[in-house]
Short mmCIF file of all heavy atoms in Angstrom, two decimals:
data_model
loop_
_atom_site.label_atom_id
_atom_site.label_comp_id
_atom_site.label_asym_id
_atom_site.label_seq_id
_atom_site.Cartn_x
_atom_site.Cartn_y
_atom_site.Cartn_z
N MET A 1001 0.85 -1.15 -0.02
CA MET A 1001 0.02 0.03 -0.01
C MET A 1001 0.88 1.21 0.04
O MET A 1001 1.93 1.27 0.67
CB MET A 1001 -0.81 -0.01 1.25
CG MET A 1001 -1.97 -0.99 1.30
SD MET A 1001 -3.06 -0.73 2.76
CE MET A 1001 -2.02 -1.43 3.97
N ASP A 1002 0.46 2.23 -0.77
CA ASP A 1002 1.18 3.51 -0.70
C ASP A 1002 0.96 4.07 0.65
O ASP A 1002 0.03 3.81 1.43
CB ASP A 1002 0.58 4.48 -1.69
CG ASP A 1002 0.89 4.14 -3.18
OD1 ASP A 1002 1.98 3.39 -3.31
OD2 ASP A 1002 0.23 4.55 -4.05
N LEU A 1003 1.97 4.91 1.07
CA LEU A 1003 1.86 5.69 2.37
C LEU A 1003 0.70 6.70 2.26
O LEU A 1003 0.35 7.20 1.23
CB LEU A 1003 3.13 6.41 2.63
CG LEU A 1003 4.31 5.52 3.03
CD1 LEU A 1003 5.57 6.36 3.20
CD2 LEU A 1003 4.07 4.68 4.28
N PRO A 1004 0.06 7.04 3.41
CA PRO A 1004 -1.06 7.93 3.43
C PRO A 1004 -0.51 9.31 2.89
O PRO A 1004 0.69 9.66 2.94
CB PRO A 1004 -1.38 8.06 4.88
CG PRO A 1004 -0.91 6.79 5.52
CD PRO A 1004 0.29 6.43 4.78
N ASP A 1005 -1.50 10.12 2.36
CA ASP A 1005 -1.21 11.45 1.85
C ASP A 1005 -0.38 12.25 2.94
O ASP A 1005 -0.66 12.15 4.12
CB ASP A 1005 -2.47 12.21 1.49
CG ASP A 1005 -3.17 11.61 0.33
OD1 ASP A 1005 -2.49 10.93 -0.48
OD2 ASP A 1005 -4.35 11.86 0.16
N GLY A 1006 0.58 12.99 2.52
CA GLY A 1006 1.42 13.84 3.36
C GLY A 1006 2.65 13.17 3.92
O GLY A 1006 3.47 13.84 4.51
N LEU A 1007 2.76 11.81 3.69
CA LEU A 1007 3.92 11.17 4.24
C LEU A 1007 4.99 11.01 3.15
O LEU A 1007 6.09 10.54 3.42
CB LEU A 1007 3.61 9.80 4.85
CG LEU A 1007 2.90 9.90 6.16
CD1 LEU A 1007 2.63 8.43 6.70
CD2 LEU A 1007 3.62 10.71 7.15
N GLY A 1008 4.75 11.42 1.97
CA GLY A 1008 5.73 11.31 0.89
C GLY A 1008 5.80 10.05 0.20
O GLY A 1008 4.92 9.13 0.47
N PRO A 1009 6.81 9.76 -0.64
CA PRO A 1009 6.85 8.51 -1.42
C PRO A 1009 7.23 7.33 -0.53
O PRO A 1009 8.05 7.56 0.44
CB PRO A 1009 7.94 8.77 -2.44
CG PRO A 1009 8.71 9.90 -1.96
CD PRO A 1009 7.86 10.67 -1.07
N GLY A 1010 6.59 6.24 -0.74
CA GLY A 1010 6.89 5.07 0.06
C GLY A 1010 5.68 4.14 0.06
O GLY A 1010 4.70 4.29 -0.52
N PHE A 1011 5.87 2.99 0.83
CA PHE A 1011 4.82 2.00 0.89
C PHE A 1011 4.89 1.22 2.14
O PHE A 1011 5.92 1.17 2.86
CB PHE A 1011 4.82 1.07 -0.32
CG PHE A 1011 6.05 0.23 -0.44
CD1 PHE A 1011 6.16 -1.02 0.09
CD2 PHE A 1011 7.17 0.80 -1.15
CE1 PHE A 1011 7.35 -1.82 0.03
CE2 PHE A 1011 8.33 0.03 -1.23
CZ PHE A 1011 8.45 -1.22 -0.73
N SER A 1012 3.81 0.52 2.48
CA SER A 1012 3.77 -0.36 3.66
C SER A 1012 3.25 -1.73 3.18
O SER A 1012 2.51 -1.82 2.18
CB SER A 1012 2.82 0.18 4.76
OG SER A 1012 1.60 0.28 4.26
N ALA A 1013 3.67 -2.77 3.88
CA ALA A 1013 3.17 -4.10 3.56
C ALA A 1013 3.48 -4.99 4.73
O ALA A 1013 4.01 -4.68 5.71
CB ALA A 1013 3.95 -4.55 2.28
N ARG A 1014 3.07 -6.31 4.50
CA ARG A 1014 3.37 -7.32 5.43
C ARG A 1014 4.00 -8.54 4.72
O ARG A 1014 3.58 -8.79 3.56
CB ARG A 1014 2.09 -7.78 6.10
CG ARG A 1014 2.20 -8.78 7.21
CD ARG A 1014 0.80 -9.15 7.77
NE ARG A 1014 -0.23 -8.07 7.82
CZ ARG A 1014 -0.35 -7.18 8.89
NH1 ARG A 1014 0.40 -7.36 9.94
NH2 ARG A 1014 -1.27 -6.29 8.86
N ARG A 1015 4.96 -9.27 5.36
CA ARG A 1015 5.53 -10.39 4.66
C ARG A 1015 5.94 -11.40 5.72
O ARG A 1015 5.82 -11.12 6.88
CB ARG A 1015 6.76 -10.01 3.84
CG ARG A 1015 7.90 -9.53 4.73
CD ARG A 1015 9.11 -9.17 3.90
NE ARG A 1015 10.23 -8.61 4.62
CZ ARG A 1015 11.10 -9.21 5.36
NH1 ARG A 1015 11.08 -10.52 5.32
NH2 ARG A 1015 12.05 -8.65 6.02
N LYS A 1016 6.33 -12.55 5.39
CA LYS A 1016 6.85 -13.58 6.26
C LYS A 1016 8.38 -13.67 6.12
O LYS A 1016 8.89 -13.59 4.98
CB LYS A 1016 6.24 -15.00 5.94
CG LYS A 1016 4.75 -15.10 6.01
CD LYS A 1016 4.36 -15.35 7.42
CE LYS A 1016 2.88 -15.58 7.48
NZ LYS A 1016 2.34 -15.84 8.83
N ASN A 1017 9.09 -13.83 7.18
CA ASN A 1017 10.47 -14.01 7.17
C ASN A 1017 10.83 -15.53 6.92
O ASN A 1017 9.86 -16.35 6.78
CB ASN A 1017 11.22 -13.46 8.34
CG ASN A 1017 10.98 -14.23 9.64
OD1 ASN A 1017 10.29 -15.24 9.64
ND2 ASN A 1017 11.47 -13.58 10.78
N ALA A 1018 12.09 -15.89 6.91
CA ALA A 1018 12.55 -17.32 6.61
C ALA A 1018 11.95 -18.20 7.64
O ALA A 1018 11.80 -19.43 7.47
CB ALA A 1018 14.00 -17.42 6.53
N GLN A 1019 11.72 -17.76 8.89
CA GLN A 1019 11.17 -18.57 10.00
C GLN A 1019 9.69 -18.63 9.98
O GLN A 1019 9.05 -19.19 10.89
CB GLN A 1019 11.71 -18.06 11.38
CG GLN A 1019 13.17 -18.29 11.55
CD GLN A 1019 14.03 -17.24 10.84
OE1 GLN A 1019 13.53 -16.14 10.58
NE2 GLN A 1019 15.22 -17.69 10.40
N GLY A 1020 8.96 -17.93 9.02
CA GLY A 1020 7.54 -17.96 9.01
C GLY A 1020 6.90 -16.96 9.86
O GLY A 1020 5.65 -16.95 10.02
N ARG A 1021 7.64 -16.03 10.48
CA ARG A 1021 7.12 -14.94 11.31
C ARG A 1021 6.65 -13.77 10.47
O ARG A 1021 7.28 -13.41 9.47
CB ARG A 1021 8.12 -14.52 12.32
CG ARG A 1021 8.40 -15.62 13.31
CD ARG A 1021 9.31 -15.00 14.40
NE ARG A 1021 9.47 -15.99 15.53
CZ ARG A 1021 10.33 -15.81 16.49
NH1 ARG A 1021 11.11 -14.82 16.47
NH2 ARG A 1021 10.40 -16.71 17.41
N SER A 1022 5.49 -13.23 10.87
CA SER A 1022 5.01 -12.04 10.14
C SER A 1022 5.77 -10.87 10.47
O SER A 1022 6.07 -10.56 11.60
CB SER A 1022 3.51 -11.91 10.54
OG SER A 1022 3.00 -10.75 9.84
N ILE A 1023 6.13 -10.00 9.42
CA ILE A 1023 6.85 -8.78 9.60
C ILE A 1023 5.96 -7.69 8.85
O ILE A 1023 5.70 -7.83 7.68
CB ILE A 1023 8.23 -8.80 8.97
CG1 ILE A 1023 9.02 -9.88 9.67
CG2 ILE A 1023 8.89 -7.42 9.01
CD1 ILE A 1023 10.42 -10.07 9.10
N ALA A 1024 5.69 -6.67 9.57
CA ALA A 1024 5.01 -5.48 8.97
C ALA A 1024 6.10 -4.44 8.72
O ALA A 1024 7.01 -4.34 9.57
CB ALA A 1024 4.01 -4.88 9.91
N PHE A 1025 6.14 -3.83 7.61
CA PHE A 1025 7.18 -2.92 7.32
C PHE A 1025 6.68 -1.72 6.53
O PHE A 1025 5.68 -1.73 5.85
CB PHE A 1025 8.36 -3.52 6.58
CG PHE A 1025 8.00 -4.08 5.22
CD1 PHE A 1025 8.22 -3.30 4.05
CD2 PHE A 1025 7.51 -5.39 5.06
CE1 PHE A 1025 7.97 -3.83 2.86
CE2 PHE A 1025 7.22 -5.82 3.81
CZ PHE A 1025 7.46 -5.03 2.71
N VAL A 1026 7.49 -0.63 6.60
CA VAL A 1026 7.31 0.59 5.84
C VAL A 1026 8.59 1.00 5.33
O VAL A 1026 9.58 0.94 5.99
CB VAL A 1026 6.76 1.73 6.81
CG1 VAL A 1026 6.71 3.07 6.09
CG2 VAL A 1026 5.38 1.45 7.29
N TYR A 1027 8.57 1.35 4.01
CA TYR A 1027 9.73 1.98 3.41
C TYR A 1027 9.31 3.34 2.92
O TYR A 1027 8.27 3.43 2.12
CB TYR A 1027 10.26 1.18 2.21
CG TYR A 1027 10.87 -0.18 2.53
CD1 TYR A 1027 10.55 -1.28 1.85
CD2 TYR A 1027 11.80 -0.31 3.59
CE1 TYR A 1027 11.16 -2.53 2.14
CE2 TYR A 1027 12.40 -1.46 3.87
CZ TYR A 1027 12.04 -2.63 3.21
OH TYR A 1027 12.60 -3.77 3.49
N GLY A 1028 10.02 4.34 3.25
CA GLY A 1028 9.71 5.74 2.75
C GLY A 1028 11.05 6.44 2.48
O GLY A 1028 12.05 6.13 3.10
N TRP A 1029 11.03 7.32 1.46
CA TRP A 1029 12.23 8.01 1.05
C TRP A 1029 11.93 9.39 0.71
O TRP A 1029 10.83 9.81 0.52
CB TRP A 1029 12.85 7.25 -0.17
CG TRP A 1029 11.84 6.89 -1.21
CD1 TRP A 1029 11.57 7.80 -2.33
CD2 TRP A 1029 11.17 5.81 -1.38
NE1 TRP A 1029 10.66 7.16 -3.07
CE2 TRP A 1029 10.24 5.95 -2.56
CE3 TRP A 1029 10.94 4.64 -0.64
CZ2 TRP A 1029 9.42 4.98 -3.01
CZ3 TRP A 1029 10.04 3.61 -1.09
CH2 TRP A 1029 9.32 3.86 -2.25
N THR A 1030 13.01 10.19 0.56
CA THR A 1030 12.82 11.58 0.16
C THR A 1030 12.65 11.61 -1.41
O THR A 1030 13.00 10.72 -2.11
CB THR A 1030 14.14 12.38 0.47
OG1 THR A 1030 15.26 11.67 -0.11
CG2 THR A 1030 14.29 12.52 2.00
N PRO A 1031 11.96 12.68 -1.90
CA PRO A 1031 11.69 12.74 -3.33
C PRO A 1031 12.98 12.63 -4.19
O PRO A 1031 12.94 12.15 -5.27
CB PRO A 1031 11.00 14.06 -3.48
CG PRO A 1031 10.28 14.33 -2.09
CD PRO A 1031 11.28 13.77 -1.13
N ASP A 1032 14.08 13.10 -3.62
CA ASP A 1032 15.32 13.01 -4.40
C ASP A 1032 16.06 11.74 -4.25
O ASP A 1032 17.13 11.56 -4.77
CB ASP A 1032 16.28 14.21 -4.02
CG ASP A 1032 16.65 14.15 -2.53
OD1 ASP A 1032 16.34 13.20 -1.80
OD2 ASP A 1032 17.34 15.15 -2.05
N HIS A 1033 15.46 10.79 -3.47
CA HIS A 1033 16.05 9.43 -3.28
C HIS A 1033 17.42 9.45 -2.57
O HIS A 1033 18.17 8.50 -2.56
CB HIS A 1033 16.22 8.64 -4.64
CG HIS A 1033 14.96 8.52 -5.34
ND1 HIS A 1033 14.03 7.51 -5.09
CD2 HIS A 1033 14.35 9.28 -6.39
CE1 HIS A 1033 12.97 7.62 -5.96
NE2 HIS A 1033 13.15 8.69 -6.63
N GLU A 1034 17.63 10.51 -1.87
CA GLU A 1034 18.88 10.66 -1.06
C GLU A 1034 18.76 9.90 0.29
O GLU A 1034 19.84 9.45 0.78
CB GLU A 1034 19.25 12.10 -0.77
CG GLU A 1034 19.68 12.78 -2.05
CD GLU A 1034 21.07 12.37 -2.55
OE1 GLU A 1034 22.00 12.11 -1.70
OE2 GLU A 1034 21.19 12.21 -3.74
N LYS A 1035 17.67 9.78 0.92
CA LYS A 1035 17.46 9.18 2.22
C LYS A 1035 16.33 8.19 2.19
O LYS A 1035 15.27 8.39 1.47
CB LYS A 1035 17.13 10.24 3.23
CG LYS A 1035 18.22 11.29 3.54
CD LYS A 1035 17.71 12.24 4.49
CE LYS A 1035 18.64 13.39 4.76
NZ LYS A 1035 18.09 14.41 5.69
N LEU A 1036 16.56 7.04 2.90
CA LEU A 1036 15.52 6.02 3.04
C LEU A 1036 15.29 5.79 4.48
O LEU A 1036 16.28 5.69 5.29
CB LEU A 1036 16.02 4.76 2.39
CG LEU A 1036 15.20 3.49 2.67
CD1 LEU A 1036 13.80 3.54 2.00
CD2 LEU A 1036 15.98 2.22 2.20
N LEU A 1037 14.03 5.67 4.93
CA LEU A 1037 13.68 5.27 6.27
C LEU A 1037 12.82 4.06 6.18
O LEU A 1037 11.85 4.02 5.50
CB LEU A 1037 12.92 6.43 6.95
CG LEU A 1037 12.33 6.18 8.33
CD1 LEU A 1037 13.48 5.74 9.34
CD2 LEU A 1037 11.62 7.32 8.86
N SER A 1038 13.29 3.01 6.90
CA SER A 1038 12.45 1.75 6.95
C SER A 1038 12.11 1.48 8.44
O SER A 1038 12.88 1.62 9.33
CB SER A 1038 13.16 0.59 6.37
OG SER A 1038 14.34 0.28 7.05
N VAL A 1039 10.97 0.99 8.61
CA VAL A 1039 10.41 0.55 9.93
C VAL A 1039 9.91 -0.88 9.76
O VAL A 1039 9.17 -1.15 8.84
CB VAL A 1039 9.30 1.48 10.46
CG1 VAL A 1039 8.75 0.94 11.76
CG2 VAL A 1039 9.71 2.91 10.56
N ASN A 1040 10.44 -1.76 10.66
CA ASN A 1040 9.98 -3.18 10.63
C ASN A 1040 9.47 -3.57 12.04
O ASN A 1040 10.15 -3.23 12.96
CB ASN A 1040 11.20 -4.10 10.35
CG ASN A 1040 11.76 -3.87 8.98
OD1 ASN A 1040 11.22 -4.40 7.98
ND2 ASN A 1040 12.85 -3.09 8.83
N ILE A 1041 8.34 -4.23 12.06
CA ILE A 1041 7.78 -4.69 13.28
C ILE A 1041 7.55 -6.26 13.07
O ILE A 1041 6.79 -6.64 12.22
CB ILE A 1041 6.49 -4.03 13.69
CG1 ILE A 1041 6.69 -2.60 13.94
CG2 ILE A 1041 5.83 -4.73 14.87
CD1 ILE A 1041 5.45 -1.78 14.22
N MET A 1042 8.24 -7.02 13.93
CA MET A 1042 8.11 -8.45 13.82
C MET A 1042 7.03 -8.93 14.82
O MET A 1042 7.11 -8.63 15.99
CB MET A 1042 9.47 -9.21 14.18
CG MET A 1042 10.49 -8.90 13.11
SD MET A 1042 11.96 -9.88 13.39
CE MET A 1042 11.38 -11.55 13.38
N GLU A 1043 6.08 -9.67 14.32
CA GLU A 1043 4.98 -10.18 15.07
C GLU A 1043 4.53 -9.21 16.20
O GLU A 1043 4.83 -9.34 17.34
CB GLU A 1043 5.45 -11.51 15.73
CG GLU A 1043 5.72 -12.59 14.69
CD GLU A 1043 5.67 -14.03 15.24
OE1 GLU A 1043 5.00 -14.16 16.32
OE2 GLU A 1043 6.21 -14.91 14.63
N GLY A 1044 3.66 -8.28 15.78
CA GLY A 1044 3.16 -7.39 16.69
C GLY A 1044 2.26 -8.05 17.77
O GLY A 1044 2.01 -9.17 17.68
N ALA A 1045 1.82 -7.20 18.68
CA ALA A 1045 1.00 -7.73 19.80
C ALA A 1045 -0.34 -8.19 19.24
O ALA A 1045 -0.82 -7.70 18.26
CB ALA A 1045 0.71 -6.63 20.74
N PRO A 1046 -0.90 -9.26 19.82
CA PRO A 1046 -2.17 -9.79 19.40
C PRO A 1046 -3.23 -8.77 19.41
O PRO A 1046 -3.25 -7.98 20.32
CB PRO A 1046 -2.50 -10.90 20.40
CG PRO A 1046 -1.19 -11.22 21.07
CD PRO A 1046 -0.36 -10.04 20.98
N GLY A 1047 -4.00 -8.75 18.35
CA GLY A 1047 -5.10 -7.80 18.30
C GLY A 1047 -4.78 -6.40 17.81
O GLY A 1047 -5.64 -5.53 17.60
N ARG A 1048 -3.48 -6.16 17.52
CA ARG A 1048 -3.04 -4.84 17.00
C ARG A 1048 -2.72 -4.98 15.47
O ARG A 1048 -2.34 -6.08 15.00
CB ARG A 1048 -1.74 -4.39 17.72
CG ARG A 1048 -2.09 -4.02 19.14
CD ARG A 1048 -0.95 -3.19 19.73
NE ARG A 1048 -0.70 -2.00 19.05
CZ ARG A 1048 -1.13 -0.76 19.32
NH1 ARG A 1048 -1.94 -0.66 20.32
NH2 ARG A 1048 -0.78 0.29 18.60
N ASP A 1049 -2.92 -3.89 14.79
CA ASP A 1049 -2.58 -3.83 13.36
C ASP A 1049 -1.12 -3.45 13.25
O ASP A 1049 -0.85 -2.18 13.39
CB ASP A 1049 -3.52 -2.81 12.63
CG ASP A 1049 -3.20 -2.75 11.14
OD1 ASP A 1049 -2.17 -3.25 10.73
OD2 ASP A 1049 -4.10 -2.23 10.46
N SER A 1050 -0.16 -4.34 13.08
CA SER A 1050 1.25 -4.00 13.10
C SER A 1050 1.64 -3.15 11.89
O SER A 1050 2.56 -2.32 11.93
CB SER A 1050 2.07 -5.19 13.16
OG SER A 1050 1.74 -6.09 12.10
N VAL A 1051 0.92 -3.25 10.78
CA VAL A 1051 1.22 -2.37 9.65
C VAL A 1051 0.84 -0.86 9.98
O VAL A 1051 1.60 0.04 9.76
CB VAL A 1051 0.45 -2.80 8.34
CG1 VAL A 1051 0.62 -1.77 7.21
CG2 VAL A 1051 0.99 -4.16 7.85
N ALA A 1052 -0.36 -0.72 10.58
CA ALA A 1052 -0.74 0.63 11.05
C ALA A 1052 0.24 1.16 12.12
O ALA A 1052 0.62 2.34 12.12
CB ALA A 1052 -2.18 0.60 11.63
N ASP A 1053 0.77 0.27 13.03
CA ASP A 1053 1.80 0.72 14.00
C ASP A 1053 3.01 1.19 13.28
O ASP A 1053 3.65 2.12 13.66
CB ASP A 1053 2.09 -0.44 14.98
CG ASP A 1053 0.89 -0.67 15.99
OD1 ASP A 1053 0.00 0.21 16.06
OD2 ASP A 1053 0.90 -1.73 16.60
N ALA A 1054 3.48 0.46 12.30
CA ALA A 1054 4.72 0.72 11.52
C ALA A 1054 4.51 2.07 10.85
O ALA A 1054 5.46 2.93 10.82
CB ALA A 1054 5.10 -0.34 10.59
N VAL A 1055 3.35 2.32 10.23
CA VAL A 1055 3.13 3.61 9.56
C VAL A 1055 3.15 4.74 10.61
O VAL A 1055 3.65 5.78 10.31
CB VAL A 1055 1.79 3.57 8.82
CG1 VAL A 1055 1.35 4.92 8.32
CG2 VAL A 1055 1.86 2.60 7.58
N GLU A 1056 2.57 4.53 11.72
CA GLU A 1056 2.62 5.55 12.79
C GLU A 1056 4.03 5.84 13.28
O GLU A 1056 4.36 7.01 13.50
CB GLU A 1056 1.72 5.14 13.97
CG GLU A 1056 1.65 6.14 15.10
CD GLU A 1056 1.19 7.55 14.73
OE1 GLU A 1056 0.45 7.66 13.67
OE2 GLU A 1056 1.49 8.56 15.36
N PHE A 1057 4.82 4.77 13.45
CA PHE A 1057 6.27 5.00 13.87
C PHE A 1057 6.97 5.84 12.73
O PHE A 1057 7.64 6.78 12.96
CB PHE A 1057 7.03 3.73 14.06
CG PHE A 1057 6.84 3.06 15.36
CD1 PHE A 1057 6.36 1.79 15.46
CD2 PHE A 1057 7.13 3.76 16.54
CE1 PHE A 1057 6.19 1.21 16.68
CE2 PHE A 1057 6.95 3.22 17.77
CZ PHE A 1057 6.48 1.88 17.85
N PHE A 1058 6.69 5.49 11.46
CA PHE A 1058 7.22 6.23 10.41
C PHE A 1058 6.82 7.68 10.44
O PHE A 1058 7.67 8.64 10.20
CB PHE A 1058 6.78 5.61 9.01
CG PHE A 1058 7.39 6.27 7.83
CD1 PHE A 1058 8.60 5.97 7.37
CD2 PHE A 1058 6.71 7.35 7.19
CE1 PHE A 1058 9.15 6.61 6.25
CE2 PHE A 1058 7.19 8.03 6.10
CZ PHE A 1058 8.47 7.66 5.65
N ARG A 1059 5.49 7.93 10.64
CA ARG A 1059 5.01 9.35 10.69
C ARG A 1059 5.79 10.14 11.73
O ARG A 1059 6.08 11.22 11.54
CB ARG A 1059 3.50 9.30 10.90
CG ARG A 1059 2.89 10.76 10.85
CD ARG A 1059 1.44 10.72 11.32
NE ARG A 1059 1.32 10.43 12.76
CZ ARG A 1059 1.71 11.32 13.73
NH1 ARG A 1059 2.17 12.47 13.45
NH2 ARG A 1059 1.59 10.99 15.03
N GLN A 1060 6.00 9.50 12.86
CA GLN A 1060 6.67 10.24 13.98
C GLN A 1060 8.20 10.41 13.63
O GLN A 1060 8.78 11.51 14.11
CB GLN A 1060 6.46 9.48 15.22
CG GLN A 1060 5.01 9.53 15.72
CD GLN A 1060 4.81 8.84 16.98
OE1 GLN A 1060 5.68 8.70 17.81
NE2 GLN A 1060 3.58 8.26 17.15
N LEU A 1061 8.80 9.42 13.01
CA LEU A 1061 10.30 9.62 12.74
C LEU A 1061 10.59 10.38 11.51
O LEU A 1061 11.67 10.98 11.44
CB LEU A 1061 10.86 8.18 12.62
CG LEU A 1061 10.82 7.34 13.87
CD1 LEU A 1061 11.21 5.90 13.58
CD2 LEU A 1061 11.85 7.94 14.90
N LYS A 1062 9.69 10.50 10.58
CA LYS A 1062 9.98 11.14 9.32
C LYS A 1062 10.45 12.61 9.46
O LYS A 1062 11.48 12.95 8.83
CB LYS A 1062 8.76 11.14 8.42
CG LYS A 1062 8.93 11.80 7.09
CD LYS A 1062 7.66 11.83 6.22
CE LYS A 1062 7.79 12.52 4.96
NZ LYS A 1062 7.86 13.95 5.06
N PRO A 1063 9.86 13.45 10.27
CA PRO A 1063 10.35 14.82 10.46
C PRO A 1063 11.74 14.87 10.94
O PRO A 1063 12.53 15.77 10.65
CB PRO A 1063 9.36 15.48 11.37
CG PRO A 1063 8.17 14.61 11.39
CD PRO A 1063 8.62 13.25 11.08
N LEU A 1064 12.06 13.94 11.76
CA LEU A 1064 13.47 13.94 12.40
C LEU A 1064 14.55 13.33 11.45
O LEU A 1064 15.69 13.82 11.49
CB LEU A 1064 13.41 13.15 13.73
CG LEU A 1064 12.49 13.60 14.81
CD1 LEU A 1064 12.44 12.54 15.84
CD2 LEU A 1064 12.85 14.90 15.30
N LEU A 1065 14.15 12.36 10.70
CA LEU A 1065 15.20 11.64 9.95
C LEU A 1065 15.18 11.91 8.47
O LEU A 1065 16.18 11.82 7.77
CB LEU A 1065 15.04 10.14 10.16
CG LEU A 1065 15.19 9.70 11.66
CD1 LEU A 1065 14.90 8.24 11.88
CD2 LEU A 1065 16.58 10.03 12.17
N LEU A 1066 14.01 12.21 7.90
CA LEU A 1066 13.93 12.43 6.46
C LEU A 1066 13.79 13.91 6.08
O LEU A 1066 14.30 14.28 5.07
CB LEU A 1066 12.75 11.67 5.81
CG LEU A 1066 12.87 10.15 5.68
CD1 LEU A 1066 11.77 9.52 4.90
CD2 LEU A 1066 14.17 9.71 5.13
N ASP A 1067 13.15 14.68 6.92
CA ASP A 1067 12.86 16.07 6.58
C ASP A 1067 14.06 16.95 6.98
O ASP A 1067 14.15 18.14 6.56
CB ASP A 1067 11.63 16.58 7.18
CG ASP A 1067 10.39 15.82 6.63
OD1 ASP A 1067 10.46 15.20 5.55
OD2 ASP A 1067 9.34 15.88 7.31
N SER A 1068 14.94 16.49 7.82
CA SER A 1068 16.08 17.28 8.29
C SER A 1068 17.14 17.33 7.17
O SER A 1068 17.26 16.42 6.43
CB SER A 1068 16.72 16.73 9.59
OG SER A 1068 17.17 15.47 9.34
N PRO A 1069 17.86 18.48 7.13
CA PRO A 1069 18.93 18.58 6.12
C PRO A 1069 19.99 17.56 6.24
O PRO A 1069 20.31 17.06 7.38
CB PRO A 1069 19.58 19.99 6.33
CG PRO A 1069 18.61 20.69 7.30
CD PRO A 1069 17.78 19.64 8.05
N SER A 1070 20.51 17.09 5.13
CA SER A 1070 21.58 16.09 5.14
C SER A 1070 22.83 16.65 5.72
O SER A 1070 23.18 17.85 5.36
CB SER A 1070 21.84 15.55 3.76
OG SER A 1070 22.90 14.72 3.71
N PRO A 1071 23.52 16.04 6.60
CA PRO A 1071 24.79 16.60 7.15
C PRO A 1071 25.86 16.84 6.14
O PRO A 1071 26.68 17.71 6.35
CB PRO A 1071 25.25 15.50 8.19
CG PRO A 1071 24.47 14.29 7.89
CD PRO A 1071 23.30 14.72 7.07
N ASP A 1072 25.90 16.12 4.97
CA ASP A 1072 26.89 16.45 3.96
C ASP A 1072 26.34 17.05 2.72
O ASP A 1072 27.05 17.07 1.76
CB ASP A 1072 27.61 15.09 3.61
CG ASP A 1072 26.72 13.93 3.40
OD1 ASP A 1072 25.53 14.03 3.79
OD2 ASP A 1072 27.13 12.92 2.79
N GLY A 1073 25.13 17.57 2.84
CA GLY A 1073 24.57 18.21 1.71
C GLY A 1073 24.21 19.65 2.05
O GLY A 1073 24.36 20.13 3.17
N PRO A 1074 23.63 20.37 1.08
CA PRO A 1074 23.20 21.78 1.36
C PRO A 1074 22.04 21.87 2.30
O PRO A 1074 21.24 20.91 2.39
CB PRO A 1074 22.79 22.24 0.00
CG PRO A 1074 22.56 21.09 -0.82
CD PRO A 1074 23.30 19.91 -0.29
N GLY A 1075 21.90 22.88 3.02
CA GLY A 1075 20.76 23.05 3.92
C GLY A 1075 21.27 23.42 5.22
O GLY A 1075 20.86 23.51 6.26
#
């Protein structure tokens, strides 16, 4: 699934690892493809939507990690 509006380019999904455990993940990046932020949640708590939790973590981390100027670039 694409990330919700306002979070920029990226997607979220769920997959199984080699041990058969469910992993929810989000990949999001800057429009210039200079930075990538990934969030992975392995086997979330019962009754919780781990993909929604991963998207929420991404939403909170994005301003700190993706929107801040690059230390070796302009800004």
Side-chain angles (χ1 to χ4, degrees):
M1001 289 186 283
D1002 288 338
L1003 290 177
D1005 290 340
L1007 288 183
F1011 62 93
S1012 63
R1014 186 182 322 273
R1015 67 178 175 84
K1016 298 273 185 184
N1017 68 7
Q1019 293 76 31
R1021 292 183 170 173
S1022 178
I1023 299 174
F1025 64 92
V1026 172
Y1027 291 134
W1029 50 88
T1030 55
D1032 61 7
H1033 301 276
E1034 290 290 320
K1035 296 179 186 177
L1036 167 70
L1037 173 59
S1038 64
V1039 176
N1040 295 279
I1041 298 178
M1042 293 185 61
E1043 295 203 21
R1048 292 196 56 98
D1049 181 347
S1050 56
V1051 172
D1053 288 345
V1055 170
E1056 180 58 23
F1057 279 124
F1058 180 87
R1059 185 189 67 73
Q1060 292 180 30
L1061 292 170
K1062 181 184 179 283
L1064 301 171
L1065 301 174
L1066 289 186
D1067 296 343
S1068 60
S1070 175
D1072 47 342

